Amino acid sequence: MIVLGISCFYHDSAICIMKDGEILFAGEEERFSRLKHDSQFPSLALRAGLDHCKIEADEIDKVIFYEKPFLTYERIFETIMELAPRSFSLFYDSLSKIIKNKLFIKSTLRKHLRKTLKNEDYVIEFCEHHYSHALSAFIPSEFEEAAILCIDGVGEWDTTTVWHGKDGVISKKYSINYPHSIGLFYSLFTEYCGFKANSGEYKMMGLAPYGEPIYVDIIKDNFIKVHEDGSIRLNTQNISADFRSDLVMSSLDKILGSKKRDSEDISQFYKDIASSVQQICEEVVEKMIIFALDKCNSKRICLAGGVALNCVANGKIAKKIGAENIWIQPAAGDNGGAIGAAMSGWNKKISNFRPTLGTQYSSEKIKNIIDSKSLKYQEASVDLIVNDIINKKVVAIFQGRMEFGPRALGNRSIIAKSAEPSMKALLNEKIKKREGFRPFAPIVLEKNMGKLFKDAYKSPFMLFTQYSIGNIYSATTHVDGSSRVQSVSEENGLVFDILNEYESRTTEQALVNTSFNIRGEPIVESPQNALDCFFDSGIDSLCLGDFYIRKSDNNKDFIFFESREFLKD
Ligand SMILES: [Fe+2]
């Protein structure tokens, strides 16, 4: 049976194609539409998925949507009634979107699917939002039995849920309902600190180590009550239950003090706020995990939902309950809901999950594109790449299948020297254009993790921060000594070979790995995207499949680098 899982119409739209319990393909719409966090129906990702799997459109048996829109409608309608008449603006904003896309969701889905799937014999089903998160965390995990904790902004009514998983089947044990949401709480403060909600949360997390948690008490007194079991109550007097941004911001200004917000030049006040909010988040997540383990009488936990991407909180939990007892879905946000939806009804575990589930391009296709632009290239080799890195060049890697989820894990990555004091500034100035306070992440061979990090453990999907021993890897070590490290094994292919060769020639054991994109743009998907990004940035060399292109070998006429405005992300 071929099943299509879909998540869309909120943010990070995605699809997943499963056949008899095997994930054949998963992809986010943003990679194809080139609109970051694209929320539209994922038509382009679907087309790419069908092509990749060589599946004919009429072979899809079932389509499963990652949410039950009627329950979402009920939640929004009740919130409106509770806050009327002030909530009429919410009525128009939210309900018009819902009516347009979700209320008549079956016909909306069929209308979009009709453009790609020629017949209409498939069945359309719906699964609860947190059920799809929970499946995406448990079914591909390494555990036969585990507690499952999903924490996000909101899905239908749920903001936090605990499930128990055993032998491929999950059952719900507990939930916290809207508006009491640690995810929405974190997003509000993300916006308060001048970042974009629903995408800037990882920047808040990166900002936190620069501050002191001196506002924890005042935030807890006025905005959030944290109970011993990790459950929370938001103070809806100060955080309006519809989370209307202008009202909440003025309430935060009134209680915490109005200060000029500027995400490019952040004052100490906002660093302290970030530190305080991060501390509260860590406290809640830790308590919830202990509660979930206890509730399910389990020793192991699986995590999903956007809050599960808080790798600082994850690192602290790993230390407490043992990293071997945690498994986190790398696409923990709503994109991963497409995977969970596709798994709905499967009721069996799947093994050997890897997040490299996207498109792949043949050597022939890549060569045709390179030749069409008359670019000079060499045959790619580990030797060429390592030579360039040693010479402090920045190398982009495009190989194998695209990663699904927010992290580039070596297939769509930019690699550079980490033990180089100027590298962070150079990467920011020439390529990433991002805020200077944010560190880059390292890749380290699994066998070397213990040499570089205290209490080290495997972290193949870059979901935990660990604390460095020493500080020679300056580009990838945060101000508090932490690193969001990816441990690399043979399964990672080229980056594994690069790290091995680099170590043998330099004795250095870490390199920078940052996603292959420039600020405001999604990670590159195609060879054309890769070439555009390469020539539109300060990247020195590009390993494009089997071909190695150096900017210095190519005539400047081919270089379309120009000064440009970067979208805020
Ligand atoms: Fe979610």
Side-chain angles (χ1 to χ4, degrees):
M1 173 180 282
I2 300 180
V3 181
L4 170 66
I6 296 179
S7 65
C8 62
F9 301 142
Y10 187 44
H11 52 77
D12 298 303
S13 295
I15 64 121
C16 173
I17 299 172
M18 271 186 84
K19 184 178 182 184
D20 302 328
E22 185 192 351
I23 303 176
L24 299 183
F25 182 91
E28 291 119 317
E29 185 69 358
E30 64 157 29
R31 307 286 162 89
F32 303 92
S33 67
R34 311 307 298 154
L35 299 169
K36 212 163 180 180
H37 304 297
D38 197 347
S39 64
Q40 298 180 77
F41 184 85
S43 303
L44 299 170
L46 175 57
R47 184 66 266 158
L50 293 173
D51 290 347
H52 179 90
C53 303
K54 299 189 173 50
I55 286 176
E56 294 298 326
D58 59 4
E59 288 181 74
I60 301 278
D61 298 297
K62 198 190 273 187
V63 175
I64 308 179
F65 191 64
Y66 81 132
E67 185 192 50
K68 291 192 168 170
F70 271 98
L71 293 176
T72 305
Y73 168 77
E74 179 189 85
R75 187 244 306 159
I76 290 175
F77 192 72
E78 280 194 22
T79 307
I80 287 164
M81 296 314 286
E82 201 178 303
L83 298 176
R86 181 184 66 60
S87 55
F88 285 156
S89 63
L90 178 72
F91 183 89
Y92 288 114
D93 289 354
S94 296
L95 282 197
S96 64
K97 259 191 216 160
I98 281 195
I99 287 166
K100 192 170 152 230
N101 285 324
K102 291 193 173 176
L103 191 55
F104 305 108
I105 187 73
K106 251 189 190 174
S107 55
T108 306
L109 288 174
R110 281 200 188 276
K111 189 184 87 190
H112 285 290
L113 287 166
R114 209 168 284 140
K115 293 173 195 159
T116 314
L117 309 183
K118 300 293 175 230
N119 77 340
E120 297 203 23
D121 294 342
Y122 51 84
V123 178
I124 297 183
E125 292 180 1
F126 300 88
C127 70
E128 280 177 35
H129 186 89
H130 272 231
Y131 182 67
S132 69
H133 275 315
L135 286 174
S136 78
F138 178 65
I139 298 293
S141 76
E142 295 154 357
F143 310 139
E144 288 303 318
E145 177 280 328
I148 309 157
L149 177 64
C150 304
I151 317 180
D152 68 355
V154 61
E156 296 106 8
W157 281 99
D158 294 326
T159 62
T160 301
T161 50
V162 173
W163 308 70
H164 185 235
K166 197 165 185 243
D167 303 329
V169 179
I170 66 169
S171 54
K172 196 177 191 177
K173 299 290 174 194
Y174 174 81
S175 67
I176 299 176
N177 279 358
Y178 183 90
H180 305 293
S181 164
I182 188 70
L184 292 175
F185 166 83
Y186 203 91
S187 293
L188 283 177
F189 279 89
T190 296
E191 197 177 333
Y192 184 61
C193 287
F195 307 117
K196 233 170 141 175
N198 287 327
S199 67
E201 283 76 5
Y202 63 100
K203 297 184 186 182
M204 269 275 283
M205 187 179 69
L207 185 64
Y210 292 93
E212 291 295 328
I214 57 176
Y215 294 104
V216 166
D217 289 343
I218 190 168
I219 291 172
K220 281 187 174 177
D221 287 345
N222 291 280
F223 300 104
I224 185 169
K225 181 143 186 65
V226 181
H227 301 288
E228 265 319 293
D229 60 1
S231 61
I232 59 157
R233 297 288 298 175
L234 295 188
N235 181 343
T236 49
Q237 296 293 315
N238 294 330
I239 296 177
S240 110
D242 57 356
F243 293 89
R244 215 179 91 184
S245 178
D246 54 341
L247 292 180
V248 181
M249 291 307 126
S250 73
S251 170
L252 289 165
D253 276 346
K254 207 163 82 192
I255 292 162
L256 295 168
S258 182
K259 310 264 177 15
K260 187 178 175 297
R261 282 185 284 271
D262 184 343
S263 65
E264 303 297 326
D265 182 19
I266 301 158
S267 67
Q268 190 58 42
F269 170 75
Y270 288 103
K271 292 173 184 169
D272 293 338
I273 291 286
S275 172
S276 307
V277 170
Q278 176 64 25
Q279 184 171 304
I280 292 169
C281 178
E282 286 169 20
E283 181 190 343
V284 170
V285 173
E286 184 180 326
K287 283 180 169 165
M288 277 308 308
I289 286 178
I290 303 299
F291 169 79
L293 290 173
D294 190 48
K295 186 98 185 154
C296 299
N297 195 22
S298 182
K299 287 189 166 51
R300 291 161 291 271
I301 191 125
C302 299
L303 300 180
V307 178
L309 292 172
N310 194 309
C311 51
V312 179
N314 297 343
K316 290 185 178 166
I317 299 299
K319 208 170 164 189
K320 195 163 176 97
I321 68 166
E324 70 282 8
N325 293 319
I326 306 182
W327 197 90
I328 304 170
Q329 166 54 245
D334 282 359
N335 44 2
I339 293 186
M343 289 169 178
S344 174
W346 174 243
N347 294 337
K348 283 181 200 159
K349 297 277 298 164
I350 60 170
S351 51
N352 300 322
F353 175 85
R354 302 284 305 169
T356 40
L357 297 166
T359 43
Q360 181 165 20
Y361 288 83
S362 67
S363 231
E364 193 190 346
K365 259 192 184 157
I366 293 174
K367 187 167 185 307
N368 285 343
I369 293 171
I370 294 173
D371 287 343
S372 72
K373 297 178 187 310
S374 308
L375 293 169
K376 287 185 186 137
Y377 62 86
Q378 301 174 67
E379 191 181 323
S381 71
V382 171
D383 194 46
L384 280 173
I385 296 169
V386 170
N387 270 340
D388 275 355
I389 295 171
I390 289 172
N391 290 323
K392 300 182 191 172
K393 303 288 185 201
V394 177
V395 181
I397 307 279
F398 182 102
Q399 60 146 358
R401 296 187 71 177
M402 180 175 61
E403 298 90 344
F404 182 65
R407 306 281 165 252
L409 301 169
N411 287 10
R412 303 286 187 277
S413 286
I414 295 170
I415 311 287
K417 192 173 163 69
S418 172
E420 167 57 45
S422 63
M423 188 52 74
K424 191 173 133 185
L426 187 139
L427 282 168
N428 270 330
E429 179 199 333
K430 294 175 80 175
I431 297 143
K432 301 298 280 192
K433 307 279 179 191
R434 60 190 208 177
E435 299 89 345
F437 67 84
R438 294 168 54 202
F440 289 96
I443 41 172
V444 173
L445 289 174
E446 216 171 275
K447 68 171 176 116
N448 288 332
M449 289 290 287
K451 296 175 196 160
L452 267 56
F453 298 100
K454 298 168 196 159
D455 311 314
Y457 48 88
K458 274 198 309 184
S459 178
F461 307 144
M462 219 188 255
L463 289 162
F464 301 89
T465 53
Q466 301 189 38
Y467 286 84
S468 304
I469 299 167
N471 56 0
I472 63 162
Y473 298 108
S474 53
T476 52
T477 307
H478 208 356
V479 65
D480 62 350
S482 67
S483 291
R484 193 185 62 198
V485 59
Q486 177 195 354
S487 58
V488 169
S489 64
E490 235 168 326
E491 287 173 317
N492 293 93
L494 182 58
V495 286
F496 175 79
D497 295 338
I498 292 170
L499 278 168
N500 265 312
E501 178 66 15
Y502 187 74
E503 183 183 7
S504 74
R505 287 170 61 180
T506 65
T507 73
E508 290 171 22
Q509 294 163 334
L511 290 170
V512 173
N513 169 22
T514 185
S515 54
F516 189 177
N517 63 314
I518 47 181
R519 188 174 181 180
E521 292 189 0
I523 298 173
V524 301
E525 181 276 322
S526 65
Q528 183 63 57
N529 298 155
L531 285 167
D532 288 347
C533 184
F534 173 52
F535 283 120
D536 214 2
S537 70
I539 299 169
D540 298 294
S541 305
L542 167 62
C543 176
L544 191 55
D546 297 329
F547 310 95
Y548 200 64
I549 306 165
R550 281 194 174 119
K551 223 174 247 167
S552 57
D553 291 340
N554 283 283
N555 188 313
K556 285 211 181 310
D557 288 348
F558 291 107
I559 294 172
F560 35 89
F561 179 83
E562 56 189 40
S563 63
R564 49 179 288 173
E565 292 270 308
F566 290 89
L567 295 174
K568 282 196 173 184
D569 49 2

